[in-house]
Amino acid sequence: MASTATTTSTVKPRLWMGGIEPMKASYGKLMMWFFLISDTFTFSALLVSYGMVRFSYPAYEGAVEDFTFSNLYWPIPEKVYEAVPFLHGVELPLVFVGIMTFILIFSSVTMVLAVEAGHRMDRAAVEKYMLWTLLGGVTFLGCQAWEWAHFIHGTESGTVIRELVNGSWVERTIYGANLVENQYGPPAFADFFFFITGFHGTHVFSGVVLNFLIFYRTATGMYERRGHYEMVEKVGLYWHFVDLVWVFVFTFFYLV
Amino acid sequence: MADTHVHDHGHEHGDGSEQRKAIWKTFFILSAITAVEFLIAFTLGAGLLKVAIFIGLTIVKAFYIVAEFMHLKHETKSLIWSILVPCIFVCWLLVALILEGGSIFDVR
């Protein structure tokens, strides 16, 4: 201890010259932040390209009440997402996706409560809140699975499209959407739906897996033996990021 | 040594009731903004104003999630700027590609 005291007194410590944490955060936490920045770019690229393609298509002009699906213009989102499970045939625009938003925000709250409990070394509370967070994540994934299934199968009446086949115009009714055809609008609309919500859903899924790992290690007392619950914080950062991305997806995909 | 710093900065709080109060306050703000967004979605006609309000409210929500839930507000200045400054590139990409999309529409 005496030797270290003499070295610090002879060499004046400088912020970026080693021995000090300039950002006052652990290596793992910093690396999680920088990973999240790179993930921000990935999601921004997806959402910005959605914006570009949307601006390259004509918008629907006319009264909202008279809106019909067509592959000639970009659809109004509230006319596409209006179904809610168990309420078949009832038009409830954006209600289901609103419920999904609340589920994700709420699971973010329970996650930050788990982090707070970790600071107090309260193992039982960390377990409890991690379970709530897991429940929120799994429920969100279930909702998304239902939404995808509904989007893929389409409405009962479908949409009649005209297309050029071997030099002559033919009319055909299409139901639902996949990567090549789409009853709600231009095929690109469905492509972006699958890619953006799919990429986000994959993030939610890996978040649920990580949350389960954290819950398991808390329950077996690993972090208690280690003396701190910093892993809960790191995975918490990732989970909040998933919530953050959903806030943007919700606005730019469902509202605007 | 590597692990001890975790308890050093900013987490010296007694029972954490202040933190929990702040967490629930943030939750109510986020919920209220989402509710307002719903209200606007069905009351305001489509147009530039509606889009501007939605984007503004989204940025407010993003601020509360990043600042409070992800705790960025309470980190050091150098960390805050290292996270925020790179996001300028996103704004650049957004403006560039939205203009590009408009040009594609003109020639399509």
Side-chain angles (χ1 to χ4, degrees):
Chain A
M1 200 59 210
S3 60
T4 46
T6 40
T7 43
T8 44
S9 59
T10 46
V11 182
K12 213 170 169 243
R14 284 161 70 192
L15 194 58
W16 294 97
M17 296 304 277
I20 312 173
E21 288 180 328
M23 290 180 173
K24 294 201 174 47
S26 71
Y27 176 79
K29 239 163 107 176
L30 274 186
M31 291 307 118
M32 180 53 91
W33 269 113
F34 292 127
F35 162 70
L36 293 182
I37 267 289
S38 72
D39 226 16
T40 305
F41 290 143
T42 314
F43 274 110
S44 314
L46 282 169
L47 281 171
V48 169
S49 43
Y50 172 82
M52 187 196 104
V53 171
R54 185 179 180 160
F55 270 72
S56 73
Y57 274 93
Y60 171 72
E61 281 166 18
V64 179
E65 301 82 55
D66 308 328
F67 177 81
T68 48
F69 292 131
S70 163
N71 55 355
L72 298 176
Y73 47 77
W74 208 257
I76 301 175
E78 61 184 67
K79 293 287 174 187
V80 180
Y81 313 104
E82 57 168 27
V84 173
F86 312 116
L87 293 170
H88 185 76
V90 187
E91 276 187 32
L92 294 164
L94 300 179
V95 166
F96 191 54
V97 73
I99 294 169
M100 286 166 71
T101 306
F102 272 106
I103 291 170
L104 212 54
I105 290 178
F106 200 77
S107 82
S108 227
V109 171
T110 53
M111 184 80 222
V112 77
L113 286 170
V115 172
E116 194 275 326
H119 289 320
R120 288 183 283 116
M121 298 297 291
D122 188 342
R123 178 168 148 187
V126 175
E127 283 174 31
K128 179 179 82 179
Y129 288 126
M130 286 312 295
L131 271 182
W132 279 109
T133 310
L134 276 169
L135 182 73
V138 170
T139 314
F140 182 85
L141 284 176
C143 292
Q144 208 167 35
W146 185 89
E147 216 200 347
W148 270 51
H150 183 266
F151 192 82
I152 291 168
H153 289 123
T155 58
E156 268 170 19
S157 49
T159 301
V160 181
I161 57 157
R162 286 181 79 232
E163 58 185 354
L164 201 58
V165 179
N166 295 332
S168 56
W169 286 96
V170 286
E171 280 193 352
R172 188 164 62 93
T173 311
I174 49 174
Y175 300 92
N178 52 39
L179 287 175
V180 283
E181 60 178 32
N182 173 10
Q183 78 156 87
Y184 309 103
F189 176 75
D191 295 348
F192 276 110
F193 174 82
F194 290 126
F195 269 86
I196 294 178
T197 65
F199 201 61
H200 176 264
T202 311
H203 274 73
V204 177
F205 177 72
S206 32
V208 167
V209 171
L210 288 172
N211 282 345
F212 181 76
L213 188 71
I214 296 301
F215 167 72
Y216 179 80
R217 288 177 157 185
T218 306
T220 53
M222 185 179 175
Y223 300 132
E224 197 162 74
R225 284 194 298 278
R226 191 180 279 178
H228 61 81
Y229 283 83
E230 211 205 27
M231 274 310 287
V232 184
E233 249 175 274
K234 286 179 223 168
V235 173
L237 281 178
Y238 179 76
W239 190 251
H240 298 314
F241 175 76
V242 168
D243 181 28
L244 179 71
V245 169
W246 181 255
V247 164
F248 281 92
V249 172
F250 177 64
T251 302
F252 293 113
F253 219 94
Y254 295 96
L255 287 181
V256 173
Chain B
M1 184 59 208
D3 284 345
T4 49
H5 68 271
V6 174
H7 310 287
D8 290 349
H9 49 266
H11 302 320
E12 297 305 321
H13 39 71
D15 59 345
S17 57
E18 287 286 308
Q19 276 73 21
R20 284 197 293 276
K21 213 185 270 173
I23 291 165
W24 285 111
K25 196 183 141 202
T26 311
F27 169 68
F28 285 121
I29 292 170
L30 291 175
S31 307
I33 294 174
T34 309
V36 169
E37 280 180 333
F38 261 87
L39 211 67
I40 292 169
F42 298 114
T43 49
L44 211 63
L48 200 64
L49 177 70
K50 195 175 178 180
V51 175
I53 291 174
F54 278 147
I55 291 173
L57 289 177
T58 303
I59 290 169
V60 174
K61 269 161 89 175
F63 168 79
Y64 276 104
I65 292 174
V66 176
E68 294 294 339
F69 285 175
M70 296 172 91
H71 216 252
L72 190 63
K73 201 169 134 191
H74 311 283
E75 304 287 353
T76 55
K77 276 222 168 64
S78 54
L79 180 53
I80 296 175
W81 287 115
S82 333
I83 300 302
L84 290 185
V85 170
C87 294
I88 291 172
F89 291 109
V90 176
C91 304
W92 177 20
L93 185 70
L94 179 71
V95 173
L97 284 197
I98 291 292
L99 291 176
E100 190 67 26
S103 307
I104 293 173
F105 174 73
D106 289 338
V107 295
R108 211 199 273 274

